[in-house]
Amino acid sequence: MNEAIYLQTAQALARIKTHLQHLELWTETAPSDEALADPSPFCYESMPFEHWLQFVFLPKMSDLVANQQALPTQFAISPMAQMRFDNQTAAQALIDELIALEKLLDEPR
């Protein structure tokens, strides 16, 4: 896989983290192991979407990037973000960043 895709993905993940922090949605308190094991999409039955981003999505994606493993393609997390942050203009930059990451990873490699 192209080295640039890993760099671009790492940069996008950093921007997602920054957006979460800017929105004051970043927390130092990790969900319980039980919550993290929630099999529902986005662990929605056990934690807010922003916690899923912080404690599930960002670590897994960062690990894939760090180890230069295959990155996912054709995934869609922005619709969940749009539902979670419905009509919250302050969160639009976060949603836009998620959409940009989806498009980046969906491009042919």
Side-chain angles (χ1 to χ4, degrees):
M1 192 172 290
N2 183 333
E3 185 87 22
I5 195 76
Y6 292 109
L7 177 60
Q8 292 170 326
T9 301
Q11 291 168 338
L13 297 175
R15 288 189 299 269
I16 291 167
K17 177 180 178 180
T18 298
H19 289 305
L20 288 169
Q21 291 170 327
H22 177 75
L23 293 167
E24 298 181 357
L25 297 173
W26 194 261
T27 181
E28 298 303 319
T29 306
S32 68
D33 290 341
E34 181 180 272
L36 290 168
D38 181 352
S40 65
F42 308 106
C43 300
Y44 75 89
E45 292 181 358
S46 63
M47 69 180 78
F49 176 70
E50 58 270 19
H51 289 185
W52 177 84
L53 282 173
Q54 179 180 349
F55 293 103
V56 178
F57 180 73
L58 290 176
K60 285 185 179 184
M61 289 295 293
S62 296
D63 187 53
L64 292 176
V65 168
N67 294 302
Q68 294 195 349
Q69 294 179 333
L71 297 171
T73 59
Q74 299 183 354
F75 67 98
I77 58 176
S78 60
M80 185 65 175
Q82 289 167 333
M83 283 183 12
R84 163 59 179 92
F85 301 111
D86 186 38
N87 295 321
Q88 294 182 30
T89 55
Q92 191 58 51
L94 172 61
I95 294 167
D96 291 344
E97 192 63 52
L98 293 170
I99 291 169
L101 180 61
E102 291 167 352
K103 288 179 181 177
L104 171 69
L105 295 179
D106 197 29
E107 292 178 3
R109 295 179 211 143

